[in-house]
Amino acid sequence: MSKKRFIRLFAVLLALSLFAAACGGSDDGDTTSPKDVPAGEIPVGGTLRIAGASDVDFMDPASMYYTLSWTLARGVFRTLVTYPAVADFEEQNVLVPDLATDVGTPNEDSSEWTFTLKDGIKFGPALGNEAVPGVTGEPITSADIKYALERVFIPSVGGGYPFYYDIMEGTDAFVAGDADEITGIETPDDKTIIFHLTEPAGDWPFRMAMPASAPVPADYAAGFDAEKDSDYDSHVVASGPYYVAEWAPEEQITLERNEEWDPDTDDVREAYVDVVDWKLGFDNDVGVQKVQGGDYEIGLDVSPQGPALEQTLADPELSKRLINEPSLCTRYVFLNTTVEPFDSLEVRQAVNWAIDRANLKTLQGGPITGDIASSIIPPGMGGYLSTDEYNPFGTDGMAGDLDKAKELMAAGGYPDGYDGELLFVGASDPPHDKYAESVRADLEALGFSNLNVKTPAFPNQYTQFYGIPDKNVAIGTSAGWCKDYNDAFTFLDPLFSGDNILESGNQNYAEIDDPAVNEAIATATKTPFGDERVAAWEEANRLATESGAWVPWTWDNETIIYSENLVNPIYNTFFSHIDWVVAGVTTAE
Amino acid sequence: MLQYVIRRLLWSFVMVMLVVMVVFLIFFVLPGGTGRKEDGRASPVAVMMAGRNPRPELVKNIEERLGLDRPVYVQFGRYVWNALHGDLGYSYQSQIDVREAVFHRLPATASLAFGASIVWLLIGIPIGIISALKRRSLLDRGSMLFALIGVSMPTFWLGLIAIFYFDSNLNVYSVGDYASITDNPAQWFATMWLPWLVLAVTFAAFYTRMVRGNMLEVQSEDYIRTARAKGLKERSVIRHILRSALTPVVTMYGLDLGILLGGAIITERIFNIPGIGLLAVDAISSSDLPIILGTTLFAAMFVILANLIVDVVYASLDPRVRYS
């Protein structure tokens, strides 16, 4: 998932964090002790105050794609199935029913999925506490789910990730305008919905847990969607325990209780707090101070960095209220397999041996930023292989092995290195400039003597280089990928499948089209979820890693701070944040 | 006079068009511009908006909808035409009306700019005058030290320090609780006083130095010496000095205010004041051209307008200046 990246206007603003940290030393002593909360008892009521930097990308569930938007969606929109609110990562990946009565029933080859809706589920108010006649208080039906998925393909809506849904039968005809509906979504009655897919998808329920599949009242939303540019974004109808009471873009989001939500129909969300008061626009360092000082309960998109992080870690009180967990993102250096000499497997593997991953990790900020990666799939996701059990290019301290790399260069037919010109694209924003420098040094040591190094500003390396195969970028050093949902399909299919090399907006930057890898991905995709599927992804992970097309070097962590007023903060990997629908505040009256 | 104003207004229009054109060029033509579209390729903005693994049809559709498939001069022409009709378009990101967004943000920025400017005038001018009159005294040295420190302290640094002491430590201020003056005047003031002070420090320091410098210069002019020589009361002499010494302050004040009305980016960011500057920063980070253009347009207009007002006012302040 693309996290909002701040292209900071002024480099000086980065420097100010140094000052802030230097001046923030005397915070101890004036901390008030939290109210005593008996174990297992979470206060009900009160206001959850969130300090944020940037706004949601969209409020419309079809389009929202930032992690922070999905964090909001957790309490506003319900989906057929969802992730349980538990602390254990493995248990988090076991989907539970939400609007549906079960997690879906597949046919034999997982190409047809049937869900049944619960009784008592109703739509709440629209944004701004508008009670919509014929919608608010009315039951959610299968037609509302169907319309939600159809509108992902309506141009005026602009779905955030339609490719996860285009395997529904009849999608092509709908997109082309030849059909008024997607015929692959069958709704025999108000409670039943059957998906007919053109290919098997064992992970279909995961796709039914993303916000785009949340119910949208068809008659109401269709009016907005018929415009040139849908304005449903400003009129979203709630299905979860909260509705959006106020949304002032870049300023403020307020959530209040949706009285139509029946807790008996929801086994996941406890919805302890009455109101969510999410203030946007904070400077990162100021936001951190506000949360650590107890003025806000959660920092969303603001977190201590650099010296401020060190200071937080060193403080016995503050460090207790810091979450540092895998964000299910991998950063990597890619080698374009269509550019000589990276068309050679040995050369790619040689580069994998040569890169000093430990140095890159140091440049990124050390172990707190996440573990050094030894393969592609990050921890927390099925198919992950721990460094202990699998480390094909492992060396002592992961600093690389130049001798082994040179042997492989020779085996690949380049004993003296390579002096042809190669386009090498990094990024200029610190520390990306240093990543590029580090990788360049490693490659030059390996004998690549003619690197054409470019370091454009974020995110131009993606939009103007990596994403355009015509550019023939040979080496990219500032690439990263985060999961959409906790199945390795969201990693390996867009990034390693030969079918996904696109003319523009390409994400298979290495342009790898390896029959064995393609086959392994196809096999895993078809496998129903469970241990067998995990094993299939492990195999695909091995093949993709050993193809050498990537040099994965870190599995990133997400750093989150919360205040002493927050009770029961659980980290959820789906939206990489605190699962606030089961948290309470001690400030509750 | 009227003729002069009309001529200036016409030039202002040309200036604003030039500014908009430069933004267009940066966005669409220069390498690194996110709107730059190369032959046969999709527009990067459309690709960004289309999300992950977009279908080519979707990218194309977005391009068509936003007119990104047309040549740059057509897009520019269309933008100008619409702008002349008061339509600044809609944000790529949030779909809000740009003009409404800017107007909505204007009160916060105006509060900051006018409030801070009053503070710095109140600090800067008196200190500058006293400093010049009591030259080489302890007071003068002290004020010049203040000016040196004030000029040297960057706003972003001073702002964070101020927040640290007044918010985190003393708890007499709270960042991020901005309310508009019409909704809640008390809270408006409670959230504005610190940003005013912080923003004013740098400016006050500049004004102190300028006022002092002007005063000293004027004091040594012939007519002042003559006035003193013929035994004019010191009060009256000072009044004569002030009249000459303060006119340049008007010029500077007008320009500074014009620039600040276009958004005090750093102060707004640090104190989380939802003004035009913050709007512009957020727009730049998401390549939201309509908002970038809208905020630039307003900023340019404020500067140009401030310039014009200053020049017109000047004529009445300084009898030597006449426009025809």
Side-chain angles (χ1 to χ4, degrees):
Chain A
M1 188 184 318
S2 51
K3 269 202 306 181
K4 183 147 194 175
R5 301 199 185 269
F6 268 93
I7 304 159
R8 300 219 166 183
L9 242 192
F10 300 99
V12 283
L13 271 179
L14 287 173
L16 65 83
S17 57
L18 297 170
F19 290 109
C23 308
S26 58
D27 226 353
D28 43 352
D30 56 12
T31 45
T32 48
S33 62
K35 265 189 216 170
D36 282 335
V37 182
E41 203 175 287
I42 299 170
V44 177
T47 300
L48 174 70
R49 295 163 303 174
I50 302 177
S54 42
D55 200 356
V56 294
D57 50 349
F58 297 98
M59 205 54 96
D60 188 333
S63 318
M64 53 164 57
Y65 203 33
Y66 292 160
T67 44
L68 55 91
S69 313
W70 286 17
T71 306
L72 173 134
R74 178 71 161 174
V76 176
F77 304 117
R78 295 178 67 182
T79 41
L80 287 174
V81 293
T82 193
Y83 297 81
V86 292
D88 184 83
F89 284 2
E90 272 187 35
E91 280 177 51
Q92 277 182 13
N93 285 353
V94 182
L95 295 173
V96 293
D98 191 355
L99 289 175
T101 52
D102 58 25
V103 291
T105 314
N107 66 351
E108 205 156 291
D109 72 346
S110 301
S111 66
E112 193 185 296
W113 285 86
T114 307
F115 294 86
T116 309
L117 295 181
K118 283 176 185 163
D119 291 322
I121 48 173
K122 292 180 205 152
F123 280 118
L127 191 149
N129 196 15
E130 184 194 345
V132 182
V135 173
T136 307
E138 296 298 319
I140 294 169
T141 67
S142 54
D144 302 317
I145 309 273
K146 175 175 173 154
Y147 183 65
L149 288 166
E150 283 172 347
R151 66 194 292 278
V152 165
F153 297 98
I154 297 177
S156 66
V157 176
Y161 34 91
F163 61 99
Y164 285 125
Y165 304 108
D166 66 6
I167 54 172
M168 295 185 293
E169 278 174 15
T171 304
D172 287 337
F174 183 78
V175 170
D178 299 337
D180 297 336
E181 56 168 351
I182 294 179
T183 51
I185 313 175
E186 193 190 334
T187 50
D189 57 58
D190 281 355
K191 292 278 165 208
T192 314
I193 185 159
I194 306 165
F195 297 98
H196 301 276
L197 311 177
T198 55
E199 57 187 68
D203 61 346
W204 189 252
F206 281 100
R207 306 185 198 194
M208 292 296 114
M210 289 199 277
S213 65
V216 173
D219 294 338
Y220 177 61
F224 298 109
D225 297 348
E227 301 286 314
K228 189 164 143 241
D229 210 338
S230 173
D231 202 21
Y232 182 66
D233 206 36
S234 312
H235 299 87
V236 289
V237 176
S239 50
Y242 301 94
Y243 70 92
V244 185
E246 190 204 351
W247 179 31
E250 317 279 358
E251 289 174 41
Q252 168 79 34
I253 297 172
T254 311
L255 307 183
E256 286 173 15
R257 279 195 189 279
N258 167 12
E259 301 297 341
E260 305 295 339
W261 171 78
D262 179 356
D264 293 339
T265 65
D266 197 330
D267 300 329
V268 177
R269 300 170 189 81
E270 299 294 344
Y272 293 115
V273 299
D274 287 337
V275 177
V276 175
D277 178 6
W278 181 3
K279 181 83 195 167
L280 306 165
F282 277 106
D283 170 75
N284 187 61
D285 298 306
V286 175
V288 168
Q289 270 189 33
K290 297 295 273 184
V291 175
Q292 293 185 333
D295 290 336
Y296 290 81
E297 275 73 53
I298 299 178
L300 187 48
D301 199 25
V302 297
S303 63
Q305 277 150 16
L309 179 59
E310 278 166 34
Q311 197 200 337
T312 302
L313 290 171
D315 186 310
E317 271 304 309
L318 296 180
S319 59
K320 268 193 267 174
R321 301 195 301 270
L322 177 86
I323 292 175
N324 192 53
E325 295 286 1
S327 58
L328 283 79
C329 299
T330 304
R331 286 177 200 266
Y332 60 96
V333 174
F334 71 83
L335 307 170
N336 190 332
T337 59
T338 64
V339 175
E340 196 204 343
F342 300 124
D343 49 356
S344 151
L345 174 66
E346 285 84 2
V347 172
R348 297 197 299 264
Q349 291 183 334
V351 174
N352 260 281
W353 282 107
I355 300 281
D356 184 349
R357 297 172 208 227
N359 190 45
L360 290 171
K361 178 47 73 184
T362 308
L363 293 172
Q364 194 193 10
I368 182 112
T369 58
D371 292 335
I372 294 180
S374 56
S375 61
I376 289 154
I377 296 178
M381 178 178 280
Y384 160 71
L385 298 158
S386 76
T387 304
D388 290 340
E389 60 181 307
Y390 182 70
N391 194 356
F393 304 105
T395 57
D396 231 9
M398 294 302 277
D401 182 340
L402 195 58
D403 294 336
K404 218 166 210 163
K406 281 188 167 158
E407 276 170 34
L408 276 162
M409 282 293 282
Y414 299 93
D416 305 319
Y418 183 78
D419 59 6
E421 186 178 301
L422 291 172
L423 182 58
F424 176 114
V425 180
S428 59
D429 312 59
H432 288 264
D433 52 342
K434 300 213 179 68
Y435 299 159
E437 202 43 52
S438 176
V439 172
R440 190 177 74 127
D442 293 338
L443 287 175
E444 283 179 349
L446 193 55
F448 289 90
S449 56
N450 194 359
L451 299 175
N452 175 11
V453 179
K454 286 201 190 320
T455 50
F458 231 93
N460 290 347
Q461 86 272 28
Y462 288 119
T463 54
Q464 312 219 337
F465 291 99
Y466 301 172
I468 305 169
D470 282 3
K471 294 272 183 175
N472 283 320
V473 177
I475 303 138
T477 57
S478 287
W481 187 261
C482 299
K483 62 100 195 18
D484 284 320
Y485 54 89
N486 298 3
D487 185 78
F489 176 82
T490 74
F491 251 76
L492 295 180
D493 186 65
L495 307 175
F496 279 88
S497 166
D499 291 342
N500 281 329
I501 303 174
L502 306 174
E503 210 174 293
S504 55
N506 177 39
Q507 264 133 0
N508 181 347
Y509 304 140
E511 292 179 59
I512 182 162
D513 190 4
D514 179 323
V517 174
N518 290 345
E519 177 64 34
I521 294 170
T523 306
T525 307
K526 268 185 274 191
T527 314
F529 61 82
D531 293 344
E532 214 184 317
R533 187 179 178 90
V534 170
W537 282 126
E538 284 177 359
E539 179 57 19
N541 186 12
R542 282 197 186 88
L543 285 171
T545 304
E546 283 158 33
S547 78
W550 278 25
V551 185
W553 62 269
T554 170
W555 292 313
D556 277 357
N557 275 355
E558 183 76 29
T559 305
I560 300 166
I561 47 167
Y562 57 93
S563 84
E564 57 200 356
N565 301 326
L566 191 71
V567 187
N568 195 33
I570 294 175
Y571 178 77
N572 191 302
T573 58
F574 175 56
F575 43 87
S576 304
H577 219 281
I578 291 171
D579 204 346
W580 58 274
V581 293
V582 293
V585 290
T586 54
T587 46
E589 297 284 302
Chain B
M1 184 73 181
L2 187 68
Q3 207 185 6
Y4 169 79
V5 171
I6 291 171
R7 207 167 59 221
R8 280 289 300 266
L9 280 175
L10 285 175
W11 271 114
S12 306
F13 176 74
V14 175
M15 275 300 293
V16 171
M17 281 306 112
L18 276 174
V19 169
V20 171
M21 206 152 85
V22 168
V23 176
F24 251 82
L25 289 178
I26 291 173
F27 195 79
F28 283 108
V29 179
L30 288 189
T34 7
R36 190 173 178 223
K37 182 178 155 87
E38 292 173 43
D39 282 344
R41 291 211 185 105
S43 153
V45 182
V47 173
M48 273 165 80
M49 291 178 68
R52 251 183 198 188
N53 279 23
R55 284 167 166 256
E57 309 97 83
L58 178 64
V59 177
K60 234 181 157 151
N61 203 296
I62 292 175
E63 279 189 344
E64 276 167 24
R65 199 148 47 88
L66 301 178
L68 292 165
D69 54 338
R70 314 299 287 288
V72 178
Y73 61 87
V74 173
Q75 295 190 47
F76 179 71
R78 197 189 279 175
Y79 181 82
V80 172
W81 181 252
N82 288 337
L84 288 176
H85 291 77
D87 174 11
L88 296 180
Y90 292 84
S91 156
Y92 286 172
Q93 181 82 22
S94 60
Q95 325 288 350
I96 46 174
D97 186 306
V98 173
R99 201 180 49 165
E100 264 175 42
V102 174
F103 282 150
H104 176 66
R105 294 296 186 103
L106 196 54
T109 295
S111 306
L112 182 63
F114 283 108
S117 70
I118 291 170
V119 173
W120 86 60
L121 288 181
L122 286 179
I123 301 175
I125 294 179
I127 296 186
I129 293 172
I130 295 168
S131 219
L133 294 178
K134 311 264 181 213
R135 204 174 164 203
R136 298 214 173 91
S137 68
L138 202 61
L139 195 75
D140 180 27
R141 305 263 188 235
S143 338
M144 282 307 100
L145 187 68
F146 156 75
L148 181 67
I149 295 172
V151 169
S152 320
M153 276 194 299
T155 311
F156 60 81
W157 183 76
L158 190 65
L160 283 175
I161 301 280
I163 289 173
F164 180 71
Y165 280 106
F166 291 102
D167 188 342
S168 304
N169 276 11
L170 298 175
N171 261 321
V172 292
Y173 180 81
S174 182
V175 179
D177 297 338
Y178 173 81
S180 86
I181 188 168
T182 46
D183 285 353
N184 187 345
Q187 199 183 337
W188 171 81
F189 184 80
T191 49
M192 293 310 289
W193 67 268
L194 193 58
W196 283 344
L197 283 178
V198 167
L199 188 57
V201 165
T202 315
F203 284 98
F206 266 112
Y207 279 67
T208 304
R209 289 177 72 107
M210 190 172 80
V211 169
R212 179 176 178 271
N214 286 344
M215 293 270 296
L216 291 180
E217 204 182 303
V218 176
Q219 273 190 46
S220 63
E221 289 207 16
D222 292 345
Y223 73 97
I224 298 294
R225 212 173 39 203
T226 312
R228 284 214 169 101
K230 75 172 186 181
L232 201 66
K233 270 191 295 182
E234 190 59 18
R235 276 179 76 94
S236 311
V237 176
I238 292 175
R239 233 184 45 229
H240 282 296
I241 299 176
L242 281 180
R243 172 134 197 176
S244 291
L246 290 186
T247 32
V249 173
V250 175
T251 317
M252 194 149 136
Y253 179 72
L255 288 183
D256 285 340
L257 199 61
I259 291 169
L260 281 184
L261 282 174
I265 293 174
I266 294 173
T267 312
E268 286 177 14
R269 163 57 85 208
I270 289 176
F271 288 95
N272 198 0
I273 297 165
I276 294 178
L278 213 49
L279 186 68
V281 177
D282 291 329
I284 289 170
S285 71
S286 54
S287 293
D288 195 343
L289 181 70
I291 296 273
I292 298 174
L293 280 171
T295 49
T296 319
L297 198 69
F298 272 89
M301 284 198 318
F302 284 133
V303 173
I304 289 168
L305 215 65
N307 244 317
L308 181 62
I309 293 171
V310 164
D311 286 347
V312 170
V313 170
Y314 221 79
S316 63
L317 284 182
D318 189 340
R320 288 169 299 185
V321 180
R322 285 285 173 268
Y323 300 115
S324 53

